[in-house]
Amino acid sequence: MIQEFKYGMFKIDNKQFYDNVKLIGSKIKLWECKERQITMNDLEDLLEINPELLIIGQGPGGLIAVADDIKDVMRMRKIVLKVDKSQNACELYNRALKDGKRVAAIIPARG
């Protein structure tokens, strides 16, 4: 569960992370957003758990783009896709966990 999000920092399961995060089942991974866009390559490990819901954060200011092909691939795989600013993405993730959904998320700390 994401306990707190501030620009550049996440508090997840009582640990602080000062970088972008991927939440894959119960795993927390750091990742580097090399461009101002999230691509299918960024999502490969998230899709390994075959989530029913995929949440993509676009940074606190909503400045990170999402590649066009992601929406098509998620639709074909019948995965619900939610894209929003990072703060809202955190709230969506927590709600999905509470609802018992198989969820994966990729959330930038900045941007």
Side-chain angles (χ1 to χ4, degrees):
M1 174 129 337
I2 302 170
Q3 295 156 308
E4 183 180 359
F5 170 74
K6 297 189 273 196
Y7 185 88
M9 190 277 293
F10 294 91
K11 184 175 181 184
I12 305 169
D13 297 333
N14 295 316
K15 296 177 190 154
Q16 291 186 346
F17 300 90
Y18 295 94
D19 212 339
N20 308 316
V21 295
K22 289 182 178 183
L23 304 165
I24 310 165
S26 60
K27 293 183 198 170
I28 303 164
K29 291 177 69 175
L30 299 179
W31 67 282
E32 184 179 343
C33 187
K34 296 179 182 171
E35 299 178 22
R36 306 275 303 158
Q37 177 171 285
I38 295 173
T39 66
M40 280 304 299
N41 288 340
D42 295 314
L43 304 178
E44 287 177 3
D45 49 350
L46 281 82
L47 298 177
E48 289 175 5
I49 67 165
N50 194 29
E52 57 187 296
L53 172 61
L54 175 65
I55 298 168
I56 298 178
Q58 294 182 288
L63 302 176
I64 307 294
V66 178
D68 292 334
D69 63 333
I70 290 174
K71 293 173 188 170
D72 295 333
V73 170
M74 295 310 117
R75 196 172 315 122
M76 287 186 329
R77 293 183 68 165
K78 296 184 179 10
I79 297 172
V80 175
L81 175 65
K82 300 282 185 180
V83 178
D84 208 333
K85 291 181 180 178
S86 290
Q87 180 65 39
N88 296 336
C90 292
E91 293 169 13
L92 288 167
Y93 177 80
N94 285 342
R95 197 171 320 128
L97 278 183
K98 277 185 182 177
D99 292 345
K101 294 190 179 192
R102 193 173 54 258
V103 59
I106 184 168
I107 308 174
R110 297 171 191 81

